[in-house]
PDB file of all heavy atoms in Angstrom:
ATOM      1  N   LEU H 573     132.715 111.051 126.288  1.00 98.00           N
ATOM      2  CA  LEU H 573     133.872 110.404 126.906  1.00 98.00           C
ATOM      3  C   LEU H 573     134.820 111.454 127.479  1.00 98.00           C
ATOM      4  O   LEU H 573     135.136 112.441 126.816  1.00 98.00           O
ATOM      5  CB  LEU H 573     134.628 109.554 125.883  1.00 98.00           C
ATOM      6  CG  LEU H 573     133.861 108.380 125.249  1.00 98.00           C
ATOM      7  CD1 LEU H 573     134.767 107.643 124.274  1.00 98.00           C
ATOM      8  CD2 LEU H 573     133.345 107.434 126.326  1.00 98.00           C
ATOM      9  N   HIS H 574     135.281 111.222 128.709  1.00 97.00           N
ATOM     10  CA  HIS H 574     136.273 112.085 129.350  1.00 97.00           C
ATOM     11  C   HIS H 574     137.288 111.216 130.089  1.00 97.00           C
ATOM     12  O   HIS H 574     136.932 110.183 130.665  1.00 97.00           O
ATOM     13  CB  HIS H 574     135.617 113.032 130.366  1.00 97.00           C
ATOM     14  CG  HIS H 574     135.218 114.355 129.793  1.00 97.00           C
ATOM     15  ND1 HIS H 574     134.164 114.502 128.931  1.00 97.00           N
ATOM     16  CD2 HIS H 574     135.738 115.600 129.957  1.00 97.00           C
ATOM     17  CE1 HIS H 574     134.039 115.770 128.601  1.00 97.00           C
ATOM     18  NE2 HIS H 574     134.986 116.458 129.194  1.00 97.00           N
ATOM     19  N   GLY H 575     138.547 111.657 130.078  1.00 95.00           N
ATOM     20  CA  GLY H 575     139.588 110.953 130.815  1.00 95.00           C
ATOM     21  C   GLY H 575     139.784 111.554 132.192  1.00 95.00           C
ATOM     22  O   GLY H 575     139.730 112.778 132.362  1.00 95.00           O
ATOM     23  N   THR H 576     140.042 110.714 133.174  1.00 94.00           N
ATOM     24  CA  THR H 576     140.213 111.207 134.539  1.00 94.00           C
ATOM     25  C   THR H 576     141.535 111.930 134.748  1.00 94.00           C
ATOM     26  O   THR H 576     141.700 112.634 135.742  1.00 94.00           O
ATOM     27  CB  THR H 576     140.114 110.050 135.549  1.00 94.00           C
ATOM     28  OG1 THR H 576     141.161 109.098 135.290  1.00 94.00           O
ATOM     29  CG2 THR H 576     138.764 109.340 135.446  1.00 94.00           C
ATOM     30  N   ALA H 577     142.497 111.765 133.810  1.00 91.00           N
ATOM     31  CA  ALA H 577     143.794 112.438 133.937  1.00 91.00           C
ATOM     32  C   ALA H 577     143.844 113.726 133.109  1.00 91.00           C
ATOM     33  O   ALA H 577     144.919 114.298 132.929  1.00 91.00           O
ATOM     34  CB  ALA H 577     144.923 111.500 133.509  1.00 91.00           C
ATOM     35  N   ASP H 578     142.710 114.197 132.638  1.00 90.00           N
ATOM     36  CA  ASP H 578     142.636 115.410 131.823  1.00 90.00           C
ATOM     37  C   ASP H 578     142.711 116.638 132.729  1.00 90.00           C
ATOM     38  O   ASP H 578     141.841 116.846 133.568  1.00 90.00           O
ATOM     39  CB  ASP H 578     141.321 115.416 131.043  1.00 90.00           C
ATOM     40  CG  ASP H 578     141.266 116.492 129.967  1.00 90.00           C
ATOM     41  OD1 ASP H 578     142.035 117.470 130.064  1.00 90.00           O
ATOM     42  OD2 ASP H 578     140.450 116.356 129.047  1.00 90.00           O
ATOM     43  N   THR H 579     143.755 117.456 132.569  1.00 83.00           N
ATOM     44  CA  THR H 579     143.897 118.677 133.370  1.00 83.00           C
ATOM     45  C   THR H 579     143.447 119.923 132.605  1.00 83.00           C
ATOM     46  O   THR H 579     143.479 121.020 133.148  1.00 83.00           O
ATOM     47  CB  THR H 579     145.356 118.883 133.817  1.00 83.00           C
ATOM     48  OG1 THR H 579     146.201 118.980 132.674  1.00 83.00           O
ATOM     49  CG2 THR H 579     145.817 117.753 134.708  1.00 83.00           C
ATOM     50  N   TYR H 580     143.032 119.740 131.353  1.00 85.00           N
ATOM     51  CA  TYR H 580     142.564 120.881 130.566  1.00 85.00           C
ATOM     52  C   TYR H 580     141.041 120.972 130.601  1.00 85.00           C
ATOM     53  O   TYR H 580     140.471 121.962 131.047  1.00 85.00           O
ATOM     54  CB  TYR H 580     143.068 120.786 129.128  1.00 85.00           C
ATOM     55  CG  TYR H 580     142.421 121.806 128.224  1.00 85.00           C
ATOM     56  CD1 TYR H 580     142.458 123.161 128.547  1.00 85.00           C
ATOM     57  CD2 TYR H 580     141.746 121.415 127.081  1.00 85.00           C
ATOM     58  CE1 TYR H 580     141.844 124.099 127.744  1.00 85.00           C
ATOM     59  CE2 TYR H 580     141.132 122.349 126.264  1.00 85.00           C
ATOM     60  CZ  TYR H 580     141.181 123.688 126.602  1.00 85.00           C
ATOM     61  OH  TYR H 580     140.568 124.612 125.801  1.00 85.00           O
ATOM     62  N   ALA H 581     140.365 119.934 130.131  1.00 90.00           N
ATOM     63  CA  ALA H 581     138.905 119.867 130.247  1.00 90.00           C
ATOM     64  C   ALA H 581     138.608 118.775 131.274  1.00 90.00           C
ATOM     65  O   ALA H 581     138.226 117.657 130.933  1.00 90.00           O
ATOM     66  CB  ALA H 581     138.267 119.548 128.906  1.00 90.00           C
ATOM     67  N   ALA H 582     138.820 119.108 132.535  1.00 90.00           N
ATOM     68  CA  ALA H 582     138.720 118.126 133.618  1.00 90.00           C
ATOM     69  C   ALA H 582     137.363 117.436 133.610  1.00 90.00           C
ATOM     70  O   ALA H 582     136.331 118.044 133.301  1.00 90.00           O
ATOM     71  CB  ALA H 582     138.953 118.812 134.963  1.00 90.00           C
ATOM     72  N   VAL H 583     137.384 116.156 133.957  1.00 94.00           N
ATOM     73  CA  VAL H 583     136.165 115.357 133.897  1.00 94.00           C
ATOM     74  C   VAL H 583     135.047 115.965 134.734  1.00 94.00           C
ATOM     75  O   VAL H 583     133.873 115.929 134.347  1.00 94.00           O
ATOM     76  CB  VAL H 583     136.474 113.901 134.325  1.00 94.00           C
ATOM     77  CG1 VAL H 583     136.937 113.834 135.767  1.00 94.00           C
ATOM     78  CG2 VAL H 583     135.262 112.996 134.104  1.00 94.00           C
ATOM     79  N   GLU H 584     135.389 116.523 135.874  1.00 92.00           N
ATOM     80  CA  GLU H 584     134.411 117.259 136.681  1.00 92.00           C
ATOM     81  C   GLU H 584     134.806 118.728 136.692  1.00 92.00           C
ATOM     82  O   GLU H 584     135.947 119.059 136.984  1.00 92.00           O
ATOM     83  CB  GLU H 584     134.370 116.717 138.114  1.00 92.00           C
ATOM     84  CG  GLU H 584     133.905 115.279 138.229  1.00 92.00           C
ATOM     85  CD  GLU H 584     132.451 115.068 137.812  1.00 92.00           C
ATOM     86  OE1 GLU H 584     131.717 116.081 137.667  1.00 92.00           O
ATOM     87  OE2 GLU H 584     132.071 113.920 137.614  1.00 92.00           O
ATOM     88  N   PRO H 585     133.885 119.633 136.365  1.00 94.00           N
ATOM     89  CA  PRO H 585     132.454 119.410 136.126  1.00 94.00           C
ATOM     90  C   PRO H 585     132.065 119.308 134.651  1.00 94.00           C
ATOM     91  O   PRO H 585     130.874 119.289 134.348  1.00 94.00           O
ATOM     92  CB  PRO H 585     131.841 120.672 136.730  1.00 94.00           C
ATOM     93  CG  PRO H 585     132.823 121.735 136.389  1.00 94.00           C
ATOM     94  CD  PRO H 585     134.184 121.084 136.475  1.00 94.00           C
ATOM     95  N   ASN H 586     133.039 119.227 133.728  1.00 96.00           N
ATOM     96  CA  ASN H 586     132.697 119.297 132.303  1.00 96.00           C
ATOM     97  C   ASN H 586     131.752 118.191 131.850  1.00 96.00           C
ATOM     98  O   ASN H 586     130.750 118.446 131.176  1.00 96.00           O
ATOM     99  CB  ASN H 586     133.977 119.285 131.466  1.00 96.00           C
ATOM    100  CG  ASN H 586     134.748 120.589 131.557  1.00 96.00           C
ATOM    101  OD1 ASN H 586     134.350 121.599 130.983  1.00 96.00           O
ATOM    102  ND2 ASN H 586     135.844 120.585 132.302  1.00 96.00           N
ATOM    103  N   LEU H 587     132.064 116.953 132.218  1.00 97.00           N
ATOM    104  CA  LEU H 587     131.209 115.835 131.811  1.00 97.00           C
ATOM    105  C   LEU H 587     129.819 115.959 132.434  1.00 97.00           C
ATOM    106  O   LEU H 587     128.798 115.733 131.774  1.00 97.00           O
ATOM    107  CB  LEU H 587     131.861 114.517 132.206  1.00 97.00           C
ATOM    108  CG  LEU H 587     131.099 113.245 131.846  1.00 97.00           C
ATOM    109  CD1 LEU H 587     130.865 113.168 130.345  1.00 97.00           C
ATOM    110  CD2 LEU H 587     131.848 112.008 132.325  1.00 97.00           C
TER     111      LEU H 587
END
Side-chain angles (χ1 to χ4, degrees):
L573 298 181
H574 268 72
T576 61
D578 191 339
T579 59
Y580 170 55
V583 63
E584 296 295 347
N586 288 286
L587 180 59

